[in-house]
Amino acid sequence: MKKTLFFFAVLICCRLLSQEFWYSYSFQDKHVGYTKVVYQWQEQEKSYIKKQEKYRRLDGEEKEEISCVLSLDYSVLSGYISSQTEKGQEIFVITASDKILIQNKNRLISVPGEKIYLEISDFLKGIAARSKLEYGRIYKGLVLSGDRMGACDARARYLGKEVLWANLEKQECHTFDVTTSELKNFWAKAQMDANGNLIGYSLGSFQVLRVPKEYALEVRQNFPEIPAPFIFDIEQIDRMYIRHSDFPFPIPSGPNQRNKEGQTILRSPDEQETQAFSPQTKESIQPGIHLPSDSEFLLEYAKNIQGNSRENRDIAQKIALWVQENLEKKKTPQGNKLAFFLGFSRNLPAIAHVSLSRACKIPSRLVSGVMYTPGKWIYATWAEVFLGKWMPLYSGGIARGAYFIAIVENKAWGIEDKLVPFSFTLHKLVKKGETLLLDNASSYLSIQEDKVTDKLLGITFLRPADWVLLPKNTQSDMLLLRSIKGNGPAILIKVFELPRSLEEILDTLSKKMGTQENLELLWQQSRPFPKGKAIEVALKSQQQLVYRAFLGEQGKKGIAALLIVPAKELLLIEKGFQDCIFSLNFY
């Protein structure tokens, strides 16, 4: 018994003497890196050993390993830094006794000052370690520069204590404004917990936040996109037939997918039969790992989103719309607070969907796998809610359509070994009740007299007289017509998802249509478009080419038609272009 008590006492003591933290870096809402930090107290030397691993992927890949000895106020006594970039490896050595010396293989410099901190976080830890903090006081110090071969002045203004919901828990923290000469006196907002450990800081669109280890390491998961045919209106796809010969892992069969004779058949959730409320389903109401659905903070969010709704379907729809409006399209102040609490995972929308749904007592789960978007398959994690059958929550609503391949259901946190790159072929689908064979163009592209219908792109239009439709490529989101008049005028018709307004798209029209010329806008006019709106514009290039462009939108889908013609031939074919754009419609 005494040995057991001694073992636990040693274990607790070791935890107190050694602390490990993981931080995630995000820039413009993209996960770009992480840092692992370990502080270990050395009782005999009355100092700290700090070991740090940093990984960043912004303008190239960068790795950094640090081993330092820190004093009681967390300033550097000595340190070793190894930095690896695409340019090669650099080694830095720092010593601070009578004077501060920094050395790499090329030079040795002396930094004026009594002490230097490795980073802003250590500078703030040194301030927080003081017995008394004074509100409004500005603290000053030196911090190692970003290139590791110099020092920059640092200042921190203490703003007092506040209660913060961060990293899945409620924390009392010290708040600072902090800046350095390298930041050109732009002030970052930083929070330290009651023990003086960094919670996070933000400056503009750059943010550092303490997160669970699993979230930090997500940046290492770099799954490639899988090219696929361009198909739009995917919510109207009833079934997909995917052919594969040797998957690196078994794809599970379930209500929305089944394996048969060397292929996987995906079904729209609408085709499922209603299922019983099983014990496994009941578990999907409980809080889970990194899913704090019983938190008072999250419960308040769920209550406000639910409002007066009582039906689970209505509540789930409200949750999906709220997540899209506050976490996906942009991060609103309310969305940012929830993200700060949940931890800024790369899968934040799915985590928010499940956490909020469970807080409203709606069974929900996380699913990882592969998801189809026009032109590609992407690796993703999404949420599913149980509404008599499992339905995905995605893109602001209850998703319909057969375009999810579930590989791991009831996802547990950690890097998924099962999610490894693989390839397959989509060879058949059922859309709006009609079977389309992707290796047979006549199955999805029809021309009846002058009426053209593309069932993959979901558009229909009248082909102008004296124009020829060139062969269709399923890997493209465009159709191309050529005139038999003049020197080869062309009309490009392109379909795309619409994340922005038509006016914003006009600013990048040349890029959208696949040309890099600088175009001069001559005029712009509104045009009628079924169940939507449209704009027609005239543009001119420096090469005396005239561009007449039509942009239409309907819901989340956009269409563009671009006429490219030498200026002297415009009158020959302008009427044909007008007939074409006025007949354009979504199928």
Side-chain angles (χ1 to χ4, degrees):
M1 182 66 179
K2 289 182 179 180
K3 289 183 178 180
T4 303
L5 291 174
F6 176 76
F7 171 77
F8 280 108
V10 170
L11 182 62
I12 293 170
C13 184
C14 288
R15 287 187 175 179
L16 290 173
L17 295 177
S18 180
Q19 295 178 302
E20 179 179 293
F21 304 100
W22 290 83
Y23 295 92
S24 174
Y25 299 110
S26 62
F27 179 65
Q28 295 179 345
D29 290 333
K30 292 184 179 179
H31 191 182
V32 296
Y34 70 86
T35 293
K36 173 189 175 183
V37 182
V38 177
Y39 292 98
Q40 188 171 2
W41 172 246
Q42 304 293 303
E43 177 63 31
Q44 187 172 353
E45 292 81 7
K46 302 297 182 186
S47 62
Y48 294 95
I49 298 294
K50 179 179 182 179
K51 294 185 178 181
Q52 179 170 299
E53 298 174 14
K54 183 180 291 185
Y55 174 84
R56 284 183 294 199
R57 190 170 60 208
L58 193 55
D59 297 325
E61 193 174 62
E62 178 185 349
K63 301 175 184 177
E64 186 179 72
E65 293 185 4
I66 298 175
S67 181
C68 285
V69 179
L70 307 181
S71 67
L72 287 171
D73 66 354
Y74 297 95
S75 61
V76 177
L77 295 175
S78 63
Y80 170 89
I81 301 173
S82 172
S83 178
Q84 182 75 43
T85 66
E86 295 174 352
K87 296 179 180 179
Q89 185 181 32
E90 276 200 274
I91 304 295
F92 304 90
V93 177
I94 308 169
T95 57
S97 52
D98 296 335
K99 54 185 177 180
I100 302 169
L101 299 175
I102 305 174
Q103 182 178 8
N104 65 7
K105 65 178 181 179
N106 297 319
R107 58 191 178 123
L108 171 68
I109 66 168
S110 176
V111 176
E114 296 180 359
K115 62 179 68 174
I116 188 170
Y117 293 91
L118 182 66
E119 295 182 314
I120 286 177
S121 57
D122 291 335
F123 171 54
L124 293 176
K125 279 179 72 70
I127 297 171
R130 305 184 185 197
S131 58
K132 185 177 181 181
L133 293 170
E134 300 177 27
Y135 178 82
R137 178 179 172 181
I138 293 180
Y139 298 87
K140 298 180 180 180
L142 284 178
V143 175
L144 194 64
S145 61
D147 64 4
R148 304 311 196 190
M149 281 304 293
C152 53
D153 295 322
R155 290 179 293 158
R157 181 189 296 115
Y158 182 56
L159 301 178
K161 291 183 178 181
E162 66 173 317
V163 174
L164 187 69
W165 291 89
N167 196 22
L168 307 174
E169 61 182 349
K170 183 179 182 180
Q171 303 184 51
E172 186 178 82
C173 67
H174 299 288
T175 303
F176 294 87
D177 278 341
V178 61
T179 188
T180 70
S181 53
E182 278 190 327
L183 295 177
K184 298 181 180 179
N185 296 319
F186 286 101
W187 292 82
K189 182 77 69 177
Q191 295 86 19
M192 310 290 289
D193 65 23
N195 297 317
N197 300 307
L198 180 70
I199 296 174
Y201 65 86
S202 59
L203 178 64
S205 59
F206 180 76
Q207 191 158 36
V208 177
L209 180 66
R210 192 163 79 210
V211 297
K213 175 182 177 180
E214 294 85 357
Y215 290 4
L217 292 175
E218 284 175 341
V219 72
R220 290 279 196 175
Q221 295 175 290
N222 187 26
F223 299 120
E225 296 174 348
I226 304 170
F230 274 89
I231 307 166
F232 289 86
D233 309 310
I234 56 178
E235 68 281 354
Q236 297 176 0
I237 298 175
D238 304 312
R239 296 195 179 193
M240 276 190 177
Y241 294 79
I242 297 167
R243 188 182 294 130
H244 52 83
S245 56
D246 187 20
F247 265 35
F249 44 77
I251 293 183
S253 290
N256 296 335
Q257 61 194 47
R258 62 188 177 94
N259 300 310
K260 183 180 179 181
E261 299 175 354
Q263 67 178 353
T264 297
I265 303 172
L266 307 182
R267 299 196 306 167
S268 170
D270 285 338
E271 291 194 353
Q272 289 184 42
E273 296 180 359
T274 302
Q275 304 169 27
F277 193 82
S278 65
Q280 183 181 5
T281 308
K282 293 178 182 178
E283 293 176 3
S284 301
I285 303 177
Q286 304 301 319
I289 300 174
H290 308 323
L291 300 171
S293 56
D294 58 347
S295 157
E296 61 177 291
F297 179 79
L298 200 72
L299 288 169
E300 186 64 25
Y301 266 81
K303 178 181 176 182
N304 291 333
I305 294 170
Q306 177 178 347
N308 296 324
S309 299
R310 293 294 176 265
E311 296 293 328
N312 281 357
R313 180 176 291 272
D314 295 336
I315 298 169
Q317 178 63 56
K318 281 187 172 183
I319 289 171
L321 184 60
W322 188 93
V323 169
Q324 183 187 49
E325 294 295 329
N326 293 274
L327 291 174
E328 293 183 289
K329 285 185 176 179
K330 62 179 181 179
K331 280 196 173 68
T332 64
Q334 282 296 97
N336 206 54
K337 287 181 181 179
L338 183 61
F340 205 72
F341 173 64
L342 292 176
F344 281 101
S345 166
R346 181 167 64 181
N347 300 312
L348 176 62
I351 294 168
H353 280 139
V354 173
S355 298
L356 290 167
S357 296
R358 292 188 182 187
C360 294
K361 303 303 180 185
I362 301 174
S364 55
R365 64 186 183 185
L366 289 166
V367 180
S368 284
V370 187
M371 176 193 305
Y372 177 82
T373 62
K376 60 190 175 185
W377 294 90
I378 59 173
Y379 291 80
T381 293
W382 61 90
E384 289 184 348
V385 291
F386 187 79
L387 303 171
K389 46 192 172 183
W390 286 106
M391 306 285 287
L393 289 188
Y394 183 71
S395 192
I398 300 170
R400 293 171 173 81
Y403 55 94
F404 296 91
I405 303 178
I407 298 173
V408 183
E409 295 177 347
N410 292 316
K411 181 177 184 293
W413 286 105
I415 295 179
E416 293 292 352
D417 295 331
K418 290 185 178 181
L419 293 185
V420 296
F422 62 93
S423 61
F424 50 82
T425 302
L426 171 61
H427 68 97
K428 182 171 72 172
L429 61 98
V430 178
K431 184 180 180 187
K432 298 172 70 172
E434 189 173 0
T435 300
L436 307 179
L437 304 176
L438 299 188
D439 57 359
N440 182 358
S442 63
S443 172
Y444 56 82
L445 184 65
S446 69
I447 304 176
Q448 297 180 352
E449 296 182 351
D450 289 331
K451 184 178 181 181
V452 178
T453 301
D454 189 318
K455 298 170 186 176
L456 297 184
L457 300 184
I459 59 172
T460 181
F461 61 92
L462 294 179
R463 180 183 59 184
D466 301 322
W467 287 75
V468 177
L469 179 65
L470 299 188
K472 168 72 187 295
N473 179 2
T474 61
Q475 303 296 319
S476 173
D477 55 357
M478 288 193 296
L479 293 174
L480 179 62
L481 296 98
R482 284 280 187 185
S483 173
I484 62 175
K485 295 181 179 179
N487 294 315
I491 298 176
L492 286 78
I493 299 176
K494 180 181 176 76
V495 181
F496 51 90
E497 292 182 316
L498 198 68
R500 300 174 296 167
S501 68
L502 294 183
E503 290 76 14
E504 290 174 307
I505 291 175
L506 276 177
D507 293 335
T508 55
L509 178 64
S510 60
K511 184 177 179 181
K512 276 284 180 186
M513 301 307 297
T515 175
Q516 300 301 317
E517 291 188 66
N518 292 320
L519 304 177
E520 176 190 356
L521 179 64
L522 301 178
W523 53 261
Q524 171 182 328
Q525 292 182 355
S526 297
R527 290 285 184 257
F529 190 67
K531 299 180 182 179
K533 64 178 183 178
I535 299 172
E536 185 183 357
V537 297
L539 307 105
K540 186 177 181 180
S541 75
Q542 297 176 355
Q543 286 74 34
Q544 295 302 308
L545 288 175
V546 172
Y547 292 75
R548 294 287 288 275
F550 173 88
L551 291 171
E553 69 171 335
Q554 186 185 105
K556 298 178 181 179
K557 191 175 175 183
I559 189 169
L562 180 67
L563 170 67
I564 308 172
V565 60
K568 61 183 180 180
E569 297 178 7
L570 177 62
L571 294 179
L572 286 175
I573 47 80
E574 184 176 21
K575 183 181 183 303
F577 177 69
Q578 292 295 319
D579 291 342
C580 177
I581 64 174
F582 277 101
S583 68
L584 273 172
N585 200 354
F586 289 122
Y587 169 72

